[in-house]
Amino acid sequence: MDLNLGGKSVIVTGGGSNIGRAISLAFARERVNLTIAEIDEGQGKKVAAEAEKGGAASAAVVRTDVTKWDSVQAMVRAVEERHGQVDVLVNNVGWTHDRLFIEKTREEWEKEIQLNLWGMINCTRAVLDGMIARRVGAIVSMGSDAGRMGEFREGVYGACKAGVIALSKTLAREVGRHGIRLNVVCPGMTMPDSDEEIGGLSMWSSEMNKAFGTPEMRARIAKAYPLRRIGRPEDVAGAVVFLASDAASFITGQTLSVSGGYTMM
C-alpha cells in the first residue's frame, strides 16, 4: 500500500518518548520531513537521530511547550520556514496521574487540562491557517477510551480526552470543505519497554512506572484485555501513520480505539 507520505512535512508533539517516539520513527520509515515538537529537547534529539538513521528525509527538534500559545506559534513558523508548510500534525502530548477524583489536587487537574486539552487546541489552531490556504492537511490527535466511556481514577483526564474527540469531530465538519481531515486514536494501556524509550519528563519516568511497571502488575493489567497483552507503542504508531496518509483520504471525524479490545465501541 502506497501511503504517499514521502517528503511531507510532519509534526509530532511529544515525539521523544513512548508512543510519541514510536510515531516519530514510524513516520521516519515513510521518509517524511519530521519535526519533533518536544519540551525535553535532549530526548527529542536522541529520537531525531534515530529517525534520520531510520530513513527520514530530515529530522529536527523544536523545543516546544504546547501549553504556551507563543511557543506553539514559534514552532509552527520554524517548520514552515524550513519546509514551506505543515502537511500532518500529530497531537500526541498527554499526561495523567491515576488517582480517584476526590484524591487529586487542583494542581494535577490543571496540569491535565493544560497538557491534554489546551495543548491540542493550541497546536491545531496554529496549523489550520496554512492548511486552509493550501486546501489540504491531516491532523491526528491522541484520545483515550477514558474519554469515550469513562474510566476509574481518570476523571479529569477522561474529560479532556472527551474534549479532544468532540473538538476533532466539530473541526472535521468545519474544515472538511478545505480538504483537511481530523481523526482521533485512543490507545489502551501502552507502556515503554525500557528507560531508553522515555525522557526524564515523561509521566512513565515517575511514580506511574513504579506503580504499573512491575511484572506482576503488567500481568494483572494484561488479563483485562481480550488479546491478553499490554499495548506496545508500535501498535499505536501504525494506526496514526495510516490515518495521516493518503490511504485514509476518505476518513475524517473518526475515533479509533487501539486498545486490544479493552473497549469495543
Side-chain angles (χ1 to χ4, degrees), residues 29-261:
R29 290 190 288 273
E30 298 299 323
R31 302 190 178 283
V32 305
N33 290 298
L34 174 68
T35 300
I36 298 172
E38 176 66 75
I39 198 166
D40 186 341
E41 196 171 7
Q43 180 66 18
K45 287 180 177 178
K46 282 175 56 179
V47 177
E50 289 184 77
E52 288 189 329
K53 291 179 182 176
S58 67
V61 181
V62 178
R63 190 183 187 283
T64 310
D65 181 346
V66 298
T67 72
K68 306 296 185 186
W69 177 233
D70 288 347
S71 179
V72 170
Q73 285 182 299
M75 178 270 292
V76 172
R77 284 196 300 269
V79 174
E80 290 176 337
E81 288 170 6
R82 184 179 294 117
H83 301 299
Q85 61 195 52
V86 177
D87 297 300
V88 175
L89 167 67
V90 180
N91 287 307
N92 169 73
V93 167
W95 182 89
T96 189
H97 189 104
D98 280 12
R99 270 194 252 270
L100 293 175
F101 178 76
I102 60 173
E103 293 177 353
K104 290 176 76 76
T105 65
R106 177 163 294 276
E107 288 75 18
E108 284 188 358
W109 295 341
E110 290 176 352
K111 184 174 180 178
E112 287 176 326
I113 294 167
Q114 287 292 324
L115 286 169
N116 295 299
L117 184 55
W118 267 114
M120 179 264 188
I121 293 171
N122 286 337
C123 294
T124 299
R125 181 64 188 90
V127 302
L128 276 179
D129 287 344
M131 289 182 174
I132 289 170
R134 293 187 303 276
R135 301 190 63 78
V136 67
I139 300 172
V140 183
S141 299
M142 304 310 293
S144 170
D145 284 348
R148 305 187 79 184
M149 58 172 280
E151 182 62 284
F152 188 68
R153 298 166 65 88
E154 294 184 354
V156 173
Y157 174 78
C160 294
K161 292 304 188 179
V164 168
I165 293 167
L167 180 56
S168 295
K169 289 182 177 182
T170 298
L171 292 177
R173 294 182 184 278
E174 289 184 0
V175 301
R177 65 184 182 275
H178 301 295
I180 301 166
R181 301 182 298 106
L182 294 97
N183 292 289
V184 179
V185 173
C186 293
M189 177 67 82
T190 307
M191 299 175 64
D193 287 328
S194 73
D195 290 344
E196 291 298 311
E197 298 178 14
I198 58 173
L201 298 178
S202 169
M203 71 183 194
W204 290 107
S205 68
S206 63
E207 295 177 29
M208 284 282 283
N209 205 25
K210 296 176 184 176
F212 294 104
T214 67
E216 295 78 14
M217 182 56 75
R218 287 184 179 232
R220 283 182 58 190
I221 294 169
K223 288 180 181 178
Y225 291 80
L227 294 181
R228 292 298 189 270
R229 69 172 175 86
I230 295 172
R232 296 185 298 264
E234 293 77 14
D235 296 326
V236 182
V240 172
V241 170
F242 168 72
L243 287 172
S245 77
D246 286 0
S249 62
F250 204 52
I251 300 174
T252 195
Q254 302 304 307
T255 303
L256 174 64
S257 292
V258 183
S259 58

